[in-house]
Amino acid sequence: MSIQVRNLNKRFGATVVCDNLNLDIGDGELVALLGPSGSGKTTLLRIIAGLEVPDSGSVLFHGEDATSADVRERKVGFVFQHYALFGHMTIFENVAFGLRVKPRDVRPSEATIRAKVMELLTLVQLDSIAGRYPHQLSGGQRQRIALARALAVEPKMLLLDEPFGALDARVRKELRRWLRRLHDEVHVTSVFVTHDQEEAMEVADRIVVMNQGRIEQDGPPDEVYDRPATPFVLQFLGDVNVFHGRLGSAAGKDGEISFVRPHELDVVPAAAPGTVEATLVQALTVGPNTRLEFRRSADQSFVDVEMARSDWMALRDRLGLATGSTVHLLPRKVTRFAAEDVDFDPAAMI
Amino acid sequence: MSAAVSEGRRPATPSTTEPAWVRRSLIALALVFLTLFLFVPLAAVFVEALKKGLQVYWAAITEPDAVSAIRLTMIAALVAVPLNLVFGIAAAWAIAKFDFRGKNVLLTLIDLPFSVSPVIAGLIYVLVFGLQGWFGEWLRDHDLKVIFALPGIVLATVFITFPFVARELIPLMQAQGTEQEEAARVLGAGGWQMFLRVTLPNVKWALLYGVILCNARAMGEFGAVSVVSGHIRGQTNTMPLHIEILYNEYQFAAAFAVASLLAGLALVTLLVKFLVERRIQRSTISV
């Protein structure tokens, strides 16, 4: 089922959380709503689900206006950040809930319910613990049960609110892949909210980047990363160095700000067109990567360079680099925005 | 209380403990205090009640006036507890799950019976429904009796036991939030289904606890009921009032006999409360 959002507005008191949003989500797509906290992504998701009422604008399911439809009629599956499992029910009963509360005339028989629930528990690989209670499960298991519960009513779409937010790093990674695989199997239209750009890039077909109630960019992960539409998107999707004024070999205009990602800077021994002179302040190696911190000679600002650890070893030996060495940095790829577009404080995003 | 203490029990370390003599004397002091002010009076009730033998005891609690007092107390509790059960759930639901104007005013109103002296509470009803009160003449003209009759006693009891259920539920419901209810709605549950299958099971032990306290107070209330009852023997005397009259008439054995019933009720209440608390603790630990 496709979802269309038209001219959607929502405010909480004086705060605008959805500022005239327009969005199209195709049938069977897996879309990530990505943004910092307070960007309106969760509110948008809750409005689509019917848990929140917009001030104006409409939500259409498959072209049909669903704005005033009750939550129950929307047939959506919703997965909450903190699982929202029913603590007094067994895992089996949690998953069966959506089937048991159906009106009598359409309620499946006990045998059908049992078969359906066990099928879903097998799908989320937790069929062996149907008789346990939610508190006896780990976070990752609970979230899988929450997913199975949402899928039990055969929703037309699956909405996930920071589904992996409360889990530790390793489990998150596992569940991401698992969600991706599940979507490839079930093919239900899915929208998930996240503030983790890595998660969005890894799982989604398409990323919708949101900031302050507006959609900054909407596109496939590679496009959003490689061709950011706004300085915000550029900065939100990964670390970036900011250079004021001219930089790189292309003719830069005055009043432009240039952005270069740390892994898109080469360290060269001699000055060349487009290079920047800098002094090595420190080198930090974390796992397979090394992060070099430089200080620009021109304005004393810091520049980060990232490379594989082995590349750093080779470079260090070749150029005889040590803390305090002066080198030149050559950007391979520069993204420029007019200075007036860059109206936010990068430090505020940390 | 005792359960909460034992839950936090850890091996004492030198930095958090006192010398043995300090500990022992503090414990002894507490025990002496408890014995003097709680156990001795409680034991005295039963000792005094049975002093003149089982026959006198039996006669005291089966004489018509006593039976009438017991019945009246039961009726008052039977009306007040279900009323406040419904009201308490409704108020807690509204306060914990919704935001609305005047929420704090409602919270304060719920607490009013706790802060107002029971005698004042009784007087309020006399002033409103008494013969000289606002509705007094109208009530007399329509041949309705509120004050010095059953309705007044029930009204006063309802007022006094107003906060117990709501106060017990509100913090728990607030802590639980609305996520599970939202999950139920999204899964297709209607309002009643959501309430009966999700909200109520989540608060059932706290609810039972509130009802127990509410019932104990409803049966034991003296001040407010005393003002509105009129102390008509065999008609408007509740158990606490009946005990007072017997005592004032120097019928100590009879007074203590009826008192022992209330004390017994209190003990049963405490036992049930203890069991429920243990249940609550188990279920909150496990969630």
Side-chain angles (χ1 to χ4, degrees):
Chain A
M1 164 136 325
S2 63
I3 307 167
Q4 293 86 35
V5 173
R6 294 283 172 265
N7 307 320
L8 200 74
N9 285 290
K10 175 79 181 176
R11 52 169 67 225
F12 290 121
T15 323
V16 179
V17 282
C18 291
D19 188 359
N20 207 36
L21 295 176
N22 282 288
L23 182 63
D24 280 279
I25 294 165
D27 192 21
E29 258 193 309
L30 176 49
V31 174
L33 300 180
L34 175 68
S37 53
S39 60
K41 54 193 192 312
T42 294
T43 306
L44 173 59
L45 192 79
R46 287 173 62 87
I47 290 175
I48 294 175
L51 290 170
E52 215 83 65
V53 183
D55 296 337
S56 68
S58 49
V59 176
L60 294 88
F61 291 164
H62 216 84
E64 260 177 64
D65 195 347
T67 318
S68 53
D70 188 73
V71 205
R72 304 171 64 191
E73 297 157 20
R74 298 199 185 198
K75 304 239 181 321
V76 301
F78 201 98
V79 175
F80 295 82
Q81 182 179 3
H82 299 289
Y83 331 119
L85 294 179
F86 307 127
H88 60 284
M89 294 182 201
T90 61
I91 297 310
F92 182 93
E93 286 304 321
N94 263 280
V95 178
F97 186 89
L99 303 170
R100 291 210 194 282
V101 296
K102 278 180 193 270
R104 201 167 306 236
D105 48 322
V106 293
R107 196 184 302 157
S109 70
E110 189 58 38
T112 318
I113 291 179
R114 184 153 290 275
K116 175 95 197 168
V117 171
M118 288 322 285
E119 179 195 321
L120 281 161
L121 287 176
T122 311
L123 180 73
V124 299
Q125 296 154 2
L126 289 172
D127 47 320
S128 55
I129 56 166
R132 296 214 198 147
Y133 284 86
H135 63 87
Q136 296 170 305
L137 269 53
S138 71
Q141 289 175 325
R142 287 185 208 183
Q143 199 54 295
R144 268 145 66 194
I145 293 302
L147 252 160
R149 184 178 68 175
L151 289 171
V153 289
E154 289 172 11
K156 295 174 183 158
M157 68 194 72
L158 198 53
L159 307 174
L160 306 103
D161 183 12
E162 303 247 8
F164 315 127
L167 303 169
D168 65 57
R170 202 179 50 79
V171 180
R172 273 174 99 114
K173 220 164 209 163
E174 222 169 84
L175 268 187
R176 271 186 218 164
R177 299 213 176 110
W178 181 82
L179 176 66
R180 182 68 245 184
R181 277 203 310 276
L182 182 84
H183 183 261
D184 293 343
E185 268 174 53
V186 186
H187 261 304
V188 59
T189 310
S190 307
V191 184
F192 77 100
V193 158
T194 180
H195 61 260
D196 181 344
Q197 79 279 3
E198 214 180 291
E199 191 168 290
M201 307 274 290
E202 191 175 321
V203 179
D205 299 327
R206 220 173 92 204
I207 297 181
V208 177
V209 186
M210 292 187 64
N211 182 35
Q212 295 181 340
R214 284 187 300 270
I215 293 174
E216 296 267 338
Q217 192 172 2
D218 173 1
D222 285 341
E223 188 188 305
V224 174
Y225 189 80
D226 291 332
R227 289 191 294 282
T230 66
F232 174 84
V233 175
L234 178 76
Q235 301 217 10
F236 196 73
L237 286 191
D239 294 331
V240 71
N241 293 301
V242 184
F243 296 94
H244 295 271
R246 303 172 77 95
L247 180 81
S249 44
K253 280 182 279 182
D254 281 342
E256 265 190 343
I257 293 180
S258 305
F259 297 86
V260 182
R261 296 219 183 267
H263 64 271
E264 288 171 335
L265 276 166
D266 283 336
V267 179
V268 294
T275 56
V276 172
E277 193 185 76
T279 313
L280 181 62
V281 179
Q282 62 172 344
L284 298 166
T285 302
V286 181
N289 289 315
T290 300
R291 172 168 282 253
L292 305 170
E293 200 178 296
F294 289 95
R295 193 190 281 277
R296 273 183 80 182
S297 309
D299 58 3
Q300 299 297 309
S301 62
F302 285 101
V303 180
D304 282 343
V305 175
E306 219 173 75
M307 60 181 72
R309 182 182 190 166
S310 51
D311 289 350
W312 158 240
M313 301 285 194
L315 183 77
R316 189 182 56 188
D317 295 343
R318 188 156 52 83
L319 301 183
L321 285 183
T323 305
S325 304
T326 300
V327 293
H328 299 269
L329 305 176
L330 179 65
R332 287 197 301 274
K333 180 165 178 269
V334 183
T335 311
R336 295 186 180 81
F337 288 104
E340 61 262 26
D341 292 339
V342 188
D343 59 347
F344 60 90
D345 176 14
M349 297 187 26
I350 297 166
Chain B
M1 275 297 276
S2 62
V5 172
S6 66
E7 208 212 350
R9 191 183 288 158
R10 284 185 193 88
T13 59
S15 59
T16 57
T17 192
E18 302 292 334
W21 68 270
V22 176
R23 272 183 287 149
R24 293 217 181 97
S25 36
L26 281 174
I27 292 169
L29 192 71
L31 283 179
V32 168
F33 185 86
L34 279 177
T35 310
L36 267 179
F37 292 91
L38 286 175
F39 299 139
V40 170
L42 187 63
V45 170
F46 290 97
V47 170
E48 288 290 329
L50 294 165
K51 214 174 188 174
K52 292 185 179 162
L54 269 175
Q55 262 181 335
V56 177
Y57 180 84
W58 186 248
I61 59 175
T62 49
E63 60 130 342
D65 286 354
V67 171
S68 149
I70 293 168
R71 207 178 52 224
L72 189 58
T73 297
M74 293 291 177
I75 292 171
L78 274 176
V79 177
V81 174
L83 268 181
N84 282 333
L85 172 72
V86 173
F87 163 78
I89 292 175
W93 170 269
I95 285 170
K97 311 275 177 179
F98 300 94
D99 269 318
F100 53 91
R101 211 181 269 268
K103 191 157 142 175
N104 281 326
V105 177
L106 181 59
L107 261 174
T108 314
L109 274 177
I110 291 173
D111 278 343
L112 191 67
F114 275 163
S115 52
V116 171
S117 154
V119 176
I120 309 296
L123 273 177
I124 294 168
Y125 286 108
V126 173
L127 288 176
V128 175
F129 299 112
L131 202 53
Q132 269 77 47
W134 293 354
F135 304 121
E137 280 181 38
W138 186 88
L139 285 170
R140 191 193 52 200
D141 296 345
H142 290 77
D143 207 18
L144 294 168
K145 224 166 147 43
V146 175
I147 300 304
F148 305 147
L150 179 67
I153 293 169
V154 169
L155 271 177
T157 310
V158 169
F159 178 84
I160 291 297
T161 57
F162 209 54
F164 287 93
V165 174
R167 268 287 151 199
E168 211 48 57
L169 291 184
I170 289 168
L172 181 66
M173 280 186 158
Q174 274 176 334
Q176 285 174 346
T178 53
E179 238 188 18
Q180 288 191 28
E181 275 84 5
E182 282 180 347
R185 293 287 289 171
V186 174
L187 287 167
W192 277 109
Q193 283 177 318
M194 170 182 71
F195 180 73
L196 293 175
R197 284 170 182 259
V198 176
T199 309
L200 212 51
N202 272 335
V203 298
K204 63 179 174 208
W205 292 110
L207 186 65
L208 185 55
Y209 185 50
V211 166
I212 291 167
L213 288 180
C214 184
N215 183 58
R217 184 63 193 265
M219 292 195 170
E221 175 53 26
F222 179 82
V225 170
S226 168
V227 176
V228 296
S229 120
H231 306 268
I232 307 165
R233 269 198 190 196
Q235 284 182 36
T236 65
N237 262 351
T238 61
M239 281 166 80
L241 301 181
H242 186 62
I243 294 164
E244 196 214 12
I245 290 176
L246 289 175
Y247 187 83
N248 287 343
E249 291 173 352
Y250 304 104
Q251 303 186 39
F252 296 130
F256 280 110
V258 182
S260 73
L261 290 181
L262 272 181
L265 171 83
L267 288 177
V268 170
T269 304
L270 282 178
L271 180 71
V272 178
K273 175 175 162 288
F274 172 74
L275 294 175
V276 169
E277 262 177 353
R278 229 173 38 173
R279 253 334 282 250
I280 291 178
Q281 246 182 8
R282 254 186 240 150
S283 64
T284 44
I285 288 167
S286 59
V287 165

